[in-house]
Amino acid sequence: MSLDLDGLALAPELADVMQRLSIVGARLQRLIARNGIDQDLAAARGTNAGGDGQKALDVMADAAYMEALKGSAVAFYASEEEDEILTLGPGTLALAVDPLDGSSNIDVNVSIGTIFSIFPAADTAEASFLRPAREQIAGGYMIFGPQCALVVTFGDGVHHWILDPDTGRFERQPDFAPIPKDTSEFAINASNKRHWPAPIRAYVDDLIAGEEGPRGRNFNMRWIASLVAETHRILRRGGVFLYPGDSRKGYERGRLRHVYECAPIAFVIEQAGGRATDGVHPILDQAPDSLHARTPFVFGTAPKVKRIAHYYDSPEVAAAMPDEHLMP
Ligand SMILES: O=P(O)(O)OC[C@H]1O[C@](O)(COP(=O)(O)O)[C@@H](O)[C@@H]1O
Ligand SMILES: [Mg+2]
Ligand SMILES: [Mg+2]
């Protein structure tokens, strides 16, 4: 057993899937640590269904998870790297995965990861995933960086393990505390500013105006270009992440995918007392219309995410709202 699940009272088939995911995660961490010694994990390998360039590690991670889940309770396997949903066998679960998130960071030694979402299997493969994200029974990620960590919610708080590289075991840590509310960090790819919708531009302009602006205080910006790394930071110290839809061709619904990126991250963030929306409406209340559907994605400290939604009504009013009026 590489993962200590004592006390979580998981159904045996779900516990078995978590063990299998963690074993692949520990293997990927070792593989990534040897990138450049054994092979080039960032080598181009073609394009996936979403039209994104695939790298060697994208393809290897996808194959490793798919292989590891054969014989498990996972009947339907959906992946960023697979055009269609695959049927692995009889089973009671459906699993969606972004096998390797943050691919642009594979060859620059920056944290990358895996994002996964688990539903009860429905009658068909499509029905198992094209459904309100609130029906997930598990959502989480593994992050491969200075540490390898597993973060997952089963709807009962946000659980956390850190891989001990000496033993290959994931050691259970205290559950994540509620997301801090007083952090002044925001994460957005500011190079796309000219393409953003007006409310997002107004919100970010007010942050950048700092203490001379309507918010009356200074803010700090981060952009790692690894969703798992941004999520891990926000879980730990608060803040807000935005990847809005924009006017670039193909980015009308943003860049991030509902099924295997936004839905599981939204589940974790809400379970940690935060909020996750498409800018206005909670992600967990939405059902995607296709497997690789994109969605605008805003998540983090709840009052910040609520304030952003108010910018779609009136930027002036939203900028002046005291944080305490926006508390969940
Ligand atoms: O390169 P951009 O446009 O800043 O987008 C960065 C975002 O794209 C992603 O890398 C997309 O994920 P993949 O690497 O799995 O395609 C996110 O991890 C990250 O938040
Ligand atoms: Mg991704
Ligand atoms: Mg990916």
Side-chain angles (χ1 to χ4, degrees), residues 48 52-53 58 80-81 98-106 111-113 115 188-192 223-230 241-243 246 248 251 255-257 260-261 299:
N48 64 21
D52 297 331
D58 287 316
E80 179 179 36
E81 307 309 331
D98 174 358
L100 205 284
D101 175 69
S103 306
S104 65
N105 289 318
I106 292 172
S111 297
I112 49 183
I115 308 171
I188 193 165
N189 182 337
S191 70
N192 298 322
W223 189 251
I224 306 172
S226 269
L227 177 57
V228 291
E230 318 271 11
F241 171 100
L242 305 93
Y243 209 117
D246 67 46
R248 289 176 291 167
Y251 280 77
R255 177 190 174 114
L256 300 173
R257 315 292 171 156
Y260 39 75
E261 290 178 310
F299 70 87

mmCIF file of all heavy atoms in Angstrom, residues 48 52-53 58 80-81 98-106 111-113 115 188-192 223-230 241-243 246 248 251 255-257 260-261 299, ligand 1:
data_model
loop_
_atom_site.group_PDB
_atom_site.id
_atom_site.type_symbol
_atom_site.label_atom_id
_atom_site.label_comp_id
_atom_site.label_asym_id
_atom_site.label_seq_id
_atom_site.Cartn_x
_atom_site.Cartn_y
_atom_site.Cartn_z
ATOM 1 N N ASN A 48 -3.558 16.531 -29.319
ATOM 2 C CA ASN A 48 -4.668 15.769 -28.730
ATOM 3 C C ASN A 48 -6.005 16.270 -29.278
ATOM 4 O O ASN A 48 -6.050 17.198 -30.093
ATOM 5 C CB ASN A 48 -4.615 15.840 -27.198
ATOM 6 C CG ASN A 48 -4.805 17.257 -26.682
ATOM 7 O OD1 ASN A 48 -5.359 18.129 -27.379
ATOM 8 N ND2 ASN A 48 -4.333 17.513 -25.478
ATOM 9 N N ASP A 52 -4.422 20.618 -28.618
ATOM 10 C CA ASP A 52 -3.185 21.038 -27.935
ATOM 11 C C ASP A 52 -2.022 20.134 -28.340
ATOM 12 O O ASP A 52 -2.207 18.919 -28.526
ATOM 13 C CB ASP A 52 -3.357 20.911 -26.400
ATOM 14 C CG ASP A 52 -4.458 21.837 -25.863
ATOM 15 O OD1 ASP A 52 -4.671 22.906 -26.491
ATOM 16 O OD2 ASP A 52 -5.109 21.478 -24.866
ATOM 17 N N GLY A 53 -0.832 20.704 -28.417
ATOM 18 C CA GLY A 53 0.362 19.906 -28.699
ATOM 19 C C GLY A 53 0.598 18.909 -27.572
ATOM 20 O O GLY A 53 0.463 19.268 -26.394
ATOM 21 N N ASP A 58 2.972 13.783 -21.544
ATOM 22 C CA ASP A 58 1.500 13.746 -21.636
ATOM 23 C C ASP A 58 1.053 12.334 -22.020
ATOM 24 O O ASP A 58 0.153 11.746 -21.416
ATOM 25 C CB ASP A 58 0.996 14.717 -22.722
ATOM 26 C CG ASP A 58 1.097 16.182 -22.351
ATOM 27 O OD1 ASP A 58 0.748 16.526 -21.197
ATOM 28 O OD2 ASP A 58 1.541 16.974 -23.194
ATOM 29 N N GLU A 80 -7.692 13.918 -21.103
ATOM 30 C CA GLU A 80 -7.370 15.036 -21.996
ATOM 31 C C GLU A 80 -6.659 14.524 -23.239
ATOM 32 O O GLU A 80 -6.754 15.114 -24.316
ATOM 33 C CB GLU A 80 -6.467 16.046 -21.266
ATOM 34 C CG GLU A 80 -6.056 17.221 -22.136
ATOM 35 C CD GLU A 80 -5.172 18.233 -21.416
ATOM 36 O OE1 GLU A 80 -4.344 17.831 -20.588
ATOM 37 O OE2 GLU A 80 -5.344 19.432 -21.668
ATOM 38 N N GLU A 81 -5.926 13.422 -23.082
ATOM 39 C CA GLU A 81 -5.098 12.915 -24.183
ATOM 40 C C GLU A 81 -5.798 11.857 -25.044
ATOM 41 O O GLU A 81 -5.170 11.282 -25.941
ATOM 42 C CB GLU A 81 -3.773 12.363 -23.621
ATOM 43 C CG GLU A 81 -3.014 13.317 -22.728
ATOM 44 C CD GLU A 81 -2.812 14.715 -23.350
ATOM 45 O OE1 GLU A 81 -2.748 14.821 -24.605
ATOM 46 O OE2 GLU A 81 -2.740 15.697 -22.574
ATOM 47 N N ASP A 98 -6.674 14.692 -16.332
ATOM 48 C CA ASP A 98 -5.678 15.450 -17.073
ATOM 49 C C ASP A 98 -4.359 14.809 -16.639
ATOM 50 O O ASP A 98 -3.851 15.125 -15.572
ATOM 51 C CB ASP A 98 -5.748 16.931 -16.675
ATOM 52 C CG ASP A 98 -4.634 17.735 -17.325
ATOM 53 O OD1 ASP A 98 -3.786 17.159 -18.043
ATOM 54 O OD2 ASP A 98 -4.605 18.969 -17.113
ATOM 55 N N PRO A 99 -3.828 13.890 -17.443
ATOM 56 C CA PRO A 99 -2.695 13.094 -16.955
ATOM 57 C C PRO A 99 -1.476 13.939 -16.607
ATOM 58 O O PRO A 99 -0.746 13.635 -15.647
ATOM 59 C CB PRO A 99 -2.379 12.147 -18.124
ATOM 60 C CG PRO A 99 -3.576 12.183 -19.006
ATOM 61 C CD PRO A 99 -4.201 13.523 -18.819
ATOM 62 N N LEU A 100 -1.265 14.987 -17.406
ATOM 63 C CA LEU A 100 -0.119 15.839 -17.122
ATOM 64 C C LEU A 100 -0.547 17.291 -17.323
ATOM 65 O O LEU A 100 -0.735 17.744 -18.452
ATOM 66 C CB LEU A 100 1.059 15.471 -18.036
ATOM 67 C CG LEU A 100 2.444 15.817 -17.523
ATOM 68 C CD1 LEU A 100 2.723 17.304 -17.644
ATOM 69 C CD2 LEU A 100 2.651 15.410 -16.065
ATOM 70 N N ASP A 101 -0.719 18.001 -16.201
ATOM 71 C CA ASP A 101 -1.138 19.411 -16.268
ATOM 72 C C ASP A 101 0.086 20.309 -16.135
ATOM 73 O O ASP A 101 0.991 20.018 -15.353
ATOM 74 C CB ASP A 101 -2.114 19.680 -15.116
ATOM 75 C CG ASP A 101 -2.492 21.140 -15.044
ATOM 76 O OD1 ASP A 101 -3.196 21.604 -15.951
ATOM 77 O OD2 ASP A 101 -2.039 21.833 -14.107
ATOM 78 N N GLY A 102 0.089 21.373 -16.928
ATOM 79 C CA GLY A 102 1.221 22.302 -16.857
ATOM 80 C C GLY A 102 2.324 21.926 -17.828
ATOM 81 O O GLY A 102 3.508 22.184 -17.610
ATOM 82 N N SER A 103 1.915 21.312 -18.945
ATOM 83 C CA SER A 103 2.891 20.711 -19.884
ATOM 84 C C SER A 103 3.976 21.687 -20.352
ATOM 85 O O SER A 103 5.088 21.281 -20.667
ATOM 86 C CB SER A 103 2.167 20.166 -21.120
ATOM 87 O OG SER A 103 1.144 19.284 -20.709
ATOM 88 N N SER A 104 3.636 22.991 -20.360
ATOM 89 C CA SER A 104 4.653 23.940 -20.857
ATOM 90 C C SER A 104 5.827 24.037 -19.877
ATOM 91 O O SER A 104 6.854 24.633 -20.180
ATOM 92 C CB SER A 104 4.035 25.337 -21.051
ATOM 93 O OG SER A 104 3.638 25.866 -19.781
ATOM 94 N N ASN A 105 5.654 23.435 -18.686
ATOM 95 C CA ASN A 105 6.719 23.525 -17.670
ATOM 96 C C ASN A 105 7.566 22.265 -17.555
ATOM 97 O O ASN A 105 8.435 22.173 -16.684
ATOM 98 C CB ASN A 105 6.085 23.842 -16.308
ATOM 99 C CG ASN A 105 5.557 25.272 -16.250
ATOM 100 O OD1 ASN A 105 6.205 26.194 -16.731
ATOM 101 N ND2 ASN A 105 4.368 25.439 -15.689
ATOM 102 N N ILE A 106 7.283 21.251 -18.406
ATOM 103 C CA ILE A 106 7.979 19.955 -18.264
ATOM 104 C C ILE A 106 9.500 20.140 -18.351
ATOM 105 O O ILE A 106 10.260 19.552 -17.592
ATOM 106 C CB ILE A 106 7.509 18.959 -19.344
ATOM 107 C CG1 ILE A 106 6.054 18.561 -19.103
ATOM 108 C CG2 ILE A 106 8.401 17.699 -19.375
ATOM 109 C CD1 ILE A 106 5.446 17.730 -20.229
ATOM 110 N N SER A 111 6.918 22.982 -11.133
ATOM 111 C CA SER A 111 5.904 22.003 -10.706
ATOM 112 C C SER A 111 4.839 21.763 -11.776
ATOM 113 O O SER A 111 4.351 22.711 -12.399
ATOM 114 C CB SER A 111 5.195 22.497 -9.428
ATOM 115 O OG SER A 111 6.132 22.591 -8.371
ATOM 116 N N ILE A 112 4.532 20.487 -11.991
ATOM 117 C CA ILE A 112 3.471 20.058 -12.918
ATOM 118 C C ILE A 112 2.628 19.034 -12.149
ATOM 119 O O ILE A 112 2.875 18.809 -10.961
ATOM 120 C CB ILE A 112 4.090 19.448 -14.212
ATOM 121 C CG1 ILE A 112 5.159 18.401 -13.882
ATOM 122 C CG2 ILE A 112 4.686 20.551 -15.078
ATOM 123 C CD1 ILE A 112 5.868 17.816 -15.099
ATOM 124 N N GLY A 113 1.638 18.424 -12.789
ATOM 125 C CA GLY A 113 0.827 17.498 -11.995
ATOM 126 C C GLY A 113 -0.193 16.725 -12.791
ATOM 127 O O GLY A 113 -0.194 16.757 -14.024
ATOM 128 N N ILE A 115 -4.512 15.914 -12.678
ATOM 129 C CA ILE A 115 -5.801 16.291 -12.077
ATOM 130 C C ILE A 115 -6.797 15.183 -12.388
ATOM 131 O O ILE A 115 -6.831 14.682 -13.530
ATOM 132 C CB ILE A 115 -6.314 17.634 -12.632
ATOM 133 C CG1 ILE A 115 -5.233 18.721 -12.523
ATOM 134 C CG2 ILE A 115 -7.586 18.082 -11.891
ATOM 135 C CD1 ILE A 115 -5.582 20.020 -13.244
ATOM 136 N N ILE A 188 -3.272 35.554 -13.025
ATOM 137 C CA ILE A 188 -3.887 35.621 -14.354
ATOM 138 C C ILE A 188 -2.761 35.812 -15.361
ATOM 139 O O ILE A 188 -1.705 36.367 -15.019
ATOM 140 C CB ILE A 188 -4.923 36.790 -14.436
ATOM 141 C CG1 ILE A 188 -5.780 36.663 -15.705
ATOM 142 C CG2 ILE A 188 -4.243 38.165 -14.364
ATOM 143 C CD1 ILE A 188 -7.035 37.539 -15.674
ATOM 144 N N ASN A 189 -2.943 35.335 -16.585
ATOM 145 C CA ASN A 189 -1.929 35.537 -17.619
ATOM 146 C C ASN A 189 -2.156 36.917 -18.220
ATOM 147 O O ASN A 189 -2.940 37.081 -19.168
ATOM 148 C CB ASN A 189 -2.033 34.448 -18.693
ATOM 149 C CG ASN A 189 -0.943 34.611 -19.754
ATOM 150 O OD1 ASN A 189 -0.411 35.716 -19.944
ATOM 151 N ND2 ASN A 189 -0.602 33.541 -20.432
ATOM 152 N N ALA A 190 -1.471 37.902 -17.665
ATOM 153 C CA ALA A 190 -1.716 39.326 -17.999
ATOM 154 C C ALA A 190 -1.377 39.660 -19.449
ATOM 155 O O ALA A 190 -1.793 40.692 -19.971
ATOM 156 C CB ALA A 190 -0.912 40.214 -17.047
ATOM 157 N N SER A 191 -0.646 38.770 -20.129
ATOM 158 C CA SER A 191 -0.305 39.063 -21.543
ATOM 159 C C SER A 191 -1.557 39.035 -22.418
ATOM 160 O O SER A 191 -1.528 39.536 -23.539
ATOM 161 C CB SER A 191 0.695 38.023 -22.061
ATOM 162 O OG SER A 191 0.056 36.750 -22.190
ATOM 163 N N ASN A 192 -2.655 38.485 -21.882
ATOM 164 C CA ASN A 192 -3.889 38.405 -22.684
ATOM 165 C C ASN A 192 -4.850 39.551 -22.395
ATOM 166 O O ASN A 192 -6.008 39.525 -22.857
ATOM 167 C CB ASN A 192 -4.597 37.059 -22.398
ATOM 168 C CG ASN A 192 -3.731 35.887 -22.801
ATOM 169 O OD1 ASN A 192 -3.048 35.958 -23.819
ATOM 170 N ND2 ASN A 192 -3.729 34.836 -21.986
ATOM 171 N N TRP A 223 1.843 33.979 -11.789
ATOM 172 C CA TRP A 223 1.353 33.164 -12.894
ATOM 173 C C TRP A 223 2.387 32.062 -13.162
ATOM 174 O O TRP A 223 3.474 32.336 -13.624
ATOM 175 C CB TRP A 223 1.084 33.968 -14.169
ATOM 176 C CG TRP A 223 0.382 33.126 -15.199
ATOM 177 C CD1 TRP A 223 0.891 32.630 -16.372
ATOM 178 C CD2 TRP A 223 -0.961 32.618 -15.115
ATOM 179 N NE1 TRP A 223 -0.048 31.859 -17.009
ATOM 180 C CE2 TRP A 223 -1.198 31.835 -16.266
ATOM 181 C CE3 TRP A 223 -1.996 32.741 -14.189
ATOM 182 C CZ2 TRP A 223 -2.411 31.196 -16.520
ATOM 183 C CZ3 TRP A 223 -3.208 32.127 -14.429
ATOM 184 C CH2 TRP A 223 -3.416 31.357 -15.582
ATOM 185 N N ILE A 224 2.051 30.830 -12.781
ATOM 186 C CA ILE A 224 3.020 29.732 -12.884
ATOM 187 C C ILE A 224 2.813 28.954 -14.175
ATOM 188 O O ILE A 224 3.691 28.252 -14.658
ATOM 189 C CB ILE A 224 2.877 28.779 -11.663
ATOM 190 C CG1 ILE A 224 2.997 29.562 -10.349
ATOM 191 C CG2 ILE A 224 3.944 27.679 -11.697
ATOM 192 C CD1 ILE A 224 2.682 28.723 -9.113
ATOM 193 N N ALA A 225 1.567 29.061 -14.741
ATOM 194 C CA ALA A 225 1.185 28.302 -15.941
ATOM 195 C C ALA A 225 1.142 26.804 -15.647
ATOM 196 O O ALA A 225 1.361 25.971 -16.531
ATOM 197 C CB ALA A 225 2.099 28.591 -17.129
ATOM 198 N N SER A 226 0.885 26.451 -14.393
ATOM 199 C CA SER A 226 0.533 25.082 -13.988
ATOM 200 C C SER A 226 -0.655 25.207 -13.061
ATOM 201 O O SER A 226 -0.521 25.699 -11.924
ATOM 202 C CB SER A 226 1.679 24.423 -13.211
ATOM 203 O OG SER A 226 2.553 23.728 -14.036
ATOM 204 N N LEU A 227 -1.833 24.759 -13.543
ATOM 205 C CA LEU A 227 -3.049 24.913 -12.727
ATOM 206 C C LEU A 227 -2.887 24.242 -11.363
ATOM 207 O O LEU A 227 -3.319 24.776 -10.338
ATOM 208 C CB LEU A 227 -4.238 24.322 -13.484
ATOM 209 C CG LEU A 227 -5.586 24.306 -12.780
ATOM 210 C CD1 LEU A 227 -6.025 25.693 -12.355
ATOM 211 C CD2 LEU A 227 -6.647 23.664 -13.680
ATOM 212 N N VAL A 228 -2.213 23.078 -11.339
ATOM 213 C CA VAL A 228 -2.061 22.376 -10.042
ATOM 214 C C VAL A 228 -1.244 23.207 -9.059
ATOM 215 O O VAL A 228 -1.538 23.260 -7.862
ATOM 216 C CB VAL A 228 -1.428 20.978 -10.214
ATOM 217 C CG1 VAL A 228 -2.386 20.022 -10.913
ATOM 218 C CG2 VAL A 228 -0.110 21.036 -10.951
ATOM 219 N N ALA A 229 -0.211 23.916 -9.584
ATOM 220 C CA ALA A 229 0.664 24.703 -8.693
ATOM 221 C C ALA A 229 -0.074 25.931 -8.172
ATOM 222 O O ALA A 229 0.043 26.305 -7.000
ATOM 223 C CB ALA A 229 1.931 25.111 -9.442
ATOM 224 N N GLU A 230 -0.881 26.569 -9.043
ATOM 225 C CA GLU A 230 -1.668 27.731 -8.603
ATOM 226 C C GLU A 230 -2.686 27.287 -7.538
ATOM 227 O O GLU A 230 -2.893 27.961 -6.532
ATOM 228 C CB GLU A 230 -2.432 28.372 -9.767
ATOM 229 C CG GLU A 230 -1.681 28.510 -11.074
ATOM 230 C CD GLU A 230 -0.892 29.814 -11.226
ATOM 231 O OE1 GLU A 230 -0.732 30.555 -10.252
ATOM 232 O OE2 GLU A 230 -0.414 30.040 -12.354
ATOM 233 N N PHE A 241 -7.538 32.958 -8.732
ATOM 234 C CA PHE A 241 -7.020 32.538 -10.044
ATOM 235 C C PHE A 241 -8.085 32.860 -11.079
ATOM 236 O O PHE A 241 -9.275 32.616 -10.850
ATOM 237 C CB PHE A 241 -6.750 31.031 -10.034
ATOM 238 C CG PHE A 241 -6.422 30.422 -11.383
ATOM 239 C CD1 PHE A 241 -5.108 30.159 -11.730
ATOM 240 C CD2 PHE A 241 -7.423 30.087 -12.294
ATOM 241 C CE1 PHE A 241 -4.792 29.584 -12.961
ATOM 242 C CE2 PHE A 241 -7.115 29.509 -13.537
ATOM 243 C CZ PHE A 241 -5.796 29.259 -13.861
ATOM 244 N N LEU A 242 -7.648 33.405 -12.220
ATOM 245 C CA LEU A 242 -8.604 33.692 -13.285
ATOM 246 C C LEU A 242 -8.065 33.218 -14.628
ATOM 247 O O LEU A 242 -6.930 33.544 -14.994
ATOM 248 C CB LEU A 242 -8.856 35.209 -13.390
ATOM 249 C CG LEU A 242 -9.312 35.994 -12.167
ATOM 250 C CD1 LEU A 242 -8.116 36.583 -11.423
ATOM 251 C CD2 LEU A 242 -10.266 37.115 -12.577
ATOM 252 N N TYR A 243 -8.842 32.394 -15.335
ATOM 253 C CA TYR A 243 -8.577 32.145 -16.738
ATOM 254 C C TYR A 243 -9.903 32.391 -17.471
ATOM 255 O O TYR A 243 -10.693 31.464 -17.676
ATOM 256 C CB TYR A 243 -8.010 30.758 -17.053
ATOM 257 C CG TYR A 243 -7.141 30.798 -18.292
ATOM 258 C CD1 TYR A 243 -5.796 30.500 -18.259
ATOM 259 C CD2 TYR A 243 -7.674 31.226 -19.524
ATOM 260 C CE1 TYR A 243 -4.991 30.588 -19.394
ATOM 261 C CE2 TYR A 243 -6.889 31.333 -20.660
ATOM 262 C CZ TYR A 243 -5.547 31.021 -20.588
ATOM 263 O OH TYR A 243 -4.759 31.133 -21.709
ATOM 264 N N ASP A 246 -11.837 34.734 -23.680
ATOM 265 C CA ASP A 246 -11.371 36.001 -24.253
ATOM 266 C C ASP A 246 -11.610 36.027 -25.762
ATOM 267 O O ASP A 246 -12.163 35.075 -26.326
ATOM 268 C CB ASP A 246 -9.918 36.271 -23.857
ATOM 269 C CG ASP A 246 -8.912 35.304 -24.467
ATOM 270 O OD1 ASP A 246 -8.989 35.032 -25.691
ATOM 271 O OD2 ASP A 246 -8.043 34.810 -23.716
ATOM 272 N N ARG A 248 -9.691 35.827 -28.287
ATOM 273 C CA ARG A 248 -8.857 35.055 -29.224
ATOM 274 C C ARG A 248 -9.680 33.897 -29.809
ATOM 275 O O ARG A 248 -10.499 33.303 -29.112
ATOM 276 C CB ARG A 248 -7.633 34.489 -28.480
ATOM 277 C CG ARG A 248 -6.590 35.515 -28.089
ATOM 278 C CD ARG A 248 -5.494 34.864 -27.276
ATOM 279 N NE ARG A 248 -5.978 34.443 -25.952
ATOM 280 C CZ ARG A 248 -5.286 33.634 -25.146
ATOM 281 N NH1 ARG A 248 -4.130 33.110 -25.514
ATOM 282 N NH2 ARG A 248 -5.782 33.334 -23.949
ATOM 283 N N TYR A 251 -10.592 30.696 -27.856
ATOM 284 C CA TYR A 251 -10.505 30.965 -26.404
ATOM 285 C C TYR A 251 -11.777 31.630 -25.883
ATOM 286 O O TYR A 251 -11.791 32.185 -24.784
ATOM 287 C CB TYR A 251 -9.291 31.853 -26.113
ATOM 288 C CG TYR A 251 -7.985 31.080 -26.075
ATOM 289 C CD1 TYR A 251 -7.372 30.666 -27.251
ATOM 290 C CD2 TYR A 251 -7.392 30.727 -24.862
ATOM 291 C CE1 TYR A 251 -6.189 29.937 -27.227
ATOM 292 C CE2 TYR A 251 -6.211 30.004 -24.819
ATOM 293 C CZ TYR A 251 -5.613 29.607 -26.013
ATOM 294 O OH TYR A 251 -4.450 28.880 -25.976
ATOM 295 N N ARG A 255 -9.294 28.606 -21.678
ATOM 296 C CA ARG A 255 -8.366 27.556 -22.091
ATOM 297 C C ARG A 255 -8.604 26.247 -21.342
ATOM 298 O O ARG A 255 -8.324 25.170 -21.840
ATOM 299 C CB ARG A 255 -6.930 28.024 -21.831
ATOM 300 C CG ARG A 255 -5.905 26.959 -22.172
ATOM 301 C CD ARG A 255 -4.508 27.300 -21.711
ATOM 302 N NE ARG A 255 -3.640 26.162 -21.971
ATOM 303 C CZ ARG A 255 -2.644 26.183 -22.857
ATOM 304 N NH1 ARG A 255 -2.377 27.274 -23.533
ATOM 305 N NH2 ARG A 255 -1.895 25.119 -23.048
ATOM 306 N N LEU A 256 -9.135 26.332 -20.117
ATOM 307 C CA LEU A 256 -9.192 25.169 -19.238
ATOM 308 C C LEU A 256 -10.443 24.338 -19.488
ATOM 309 O O LEU A 256 -11.495 24.864 -19.882
ATOM 310 C CB LEU A 256 -9.096 25.616 -17.783
ATOM 311 C CG LEU A 256 -7.787 26.379 -17.484
ATOM 312 C CD1 LEU A 256 -7.792 26.960 -16.091
ATOM 313 C CD2 LEU A 256 -6.566 25.511 -17.714
ATOM 314 N N ARG A 257 -10.313 23.028 -19.272
ATOM 315 C CA ARG A 257 -11.362 22.069 -19.620
ATOM 316 C C ARG A 257 -12.228 21.775 -18.412
ATOM 317 O O ARG A 257 -11.695 21.554 -17.315
ATOM 318 C CB ARG A 257 -10.741 20.757 -20.117
ATOM 319 C CG ARG A 257 -9.614 20.917 -21.087
ATOM 320 C CD ARG A 257 -10.061 21.468 -22.413
ATOM 321 N NE ARG A 257 -8.907 21.799 -23.255
ATOM 322 C CZ ARG A 257 -8.949 21.851 -24.573
ATOM 323 N NH1 ARG A 257 -10.086 21.572 -25.183
ATOM 324 N NH2 ARG A 257 -7.878 22.176 -25.261
ATOM 325 N N TYR A 260 -12.002 17.565 -16.740
ATOM 326 C CA TYR A 260 -10.828 16.997 -16.048
ATOM 327 C C TYR A 260 -9.880 18.049 -15.510
ATOM 328 O O TYR A 260 -8.768 17.724 -15.096
ATOM 329 C CB TYR A 260 -10.075 16.023 -16.959
ATOM 330 C CG TYR A 260 -9.981 16.452 -18.406
ATOM 331 C CD1 TYR A 260 -9.109 17.452 -18.817
ATOM 332 C CD2 TYR A 260 -10.807 15.865 -19.372
ATOM 333 C CE1 TYR A 260 -9.038 17.851 -20.137
ATOM 334 C CE2 TYR A 260 -10.746 16.253 -20.699
ATOM 335 C CZ TYR A 260 -9.865 17.249 -21.074
ATOM 336 O OH TYR A 260 -9.794 17.639 -22.403
ATOM 337 N N GLU A 261 -10.273 19.334 -15.537
ATOM 338 C CA GLU A 261 -9.483 20.369 -14.855
ATOM 339 C C GLU A 261 -10.367 21.165 -13.887
ATOM 340 O O GLU A 261 -10.175 21.125 -12.676
ATOM 341 C CB GLU A 261 -8.831 21.308 -15.878
ATOM 342 C CG GLU A 261 -7.699 20.634 -16.671
ATOM 343 C CD GLU A 261 -7.086 21.540 -17.732
ATOM 344 O OE1 GLU A 261 -7.829 22.138 -18.521
ATOM 345 O OE2 GLU A 261 -5.840 21.634 -17.768
ATOM 346 N N PHE A 299 -11.371 31.001 -9.444
ATOM 347 C CA PHE A 299 -11.540 30.311 -8.158
ATOM 348 C C PHE A 299 -10.591 30.893 -7.117
ATOM 349 O O PHE A 299 -9.603 31.554 -7.453
ATOM 350 C CB PHE A 299 -11.314 28.801 -8.298
ATOM 351 C CG PHE A 299 -9.894 28.380 -8.567
ATOM 352 C CD1 PHE A 299 -9.000 28.169 -7.530
ATOM 353 C CD2 PHE A 299 -9.446 28.183 -9.875
ATOM 354 C CE1 PHE A 299 -7.684 27.779 -7.776
ATOM 355 C CE2 PHE A 299 -8.130 27.776 -10.130
ATOM 356 C CZ PHE A 299 -7.249 27.585 -9.081
HETATM 357 O O1 LIG B 1 -0.124 29.021 -21.178
HETATM 358 P P1 LIG B 1 -1.290 29.776 -20.595
HETATM 359 O O2 LIG B 1 -2.248 30.303 -21.630
HETATM 360 O O3 LIG B 1 -0.859 30.816 -19.603
HETATM 361 O O4 LIG B 1 -2.162 28.684 -19.796
HETATM 362 C C1 LIG B 1 -1.615 28.065 -18.655
HETATM 363 C C2 LIG B 1 -2.624 27.033 -18.264
HETATM 364 O O5 LIG B 1 -2.612 26.011 -19.255
HETATM 365 C C3 LIG B 1 -2.410 24.753 -18.636
HETATM 366 O O6 LIG B 1 -1.063 24.371 -18.737
HETATM 367 C C4 LIG B 1 -3.318 23.767 -19.378
HETATM 368 O O7 LIG B 1 -3.104 22.488 -18.903
HETATM 369 P P2 LIG B 1 -2.311 21.396 -19.771
HETATM 370 O O8 LIG B 1 -0.864 21.680 -19.603
HETATM 371 O O9 LIG B 1 -2.761 20.110 -19.144
HETATM 372 O O10 LIG B 1 -2.759 21.535 -21.201
HETATM 373 C C5 LIG B 1 -2.753 24.940 -17.145
HETATM 374 O O11 LIG B 1 -2.064 24.059 -16.299
HETATM 375 C C6 LIG B 1 -2.309 26.370 -16.925
HETATM 376 O O12 LIG B 1 -3.036 26.998 -15.874
#
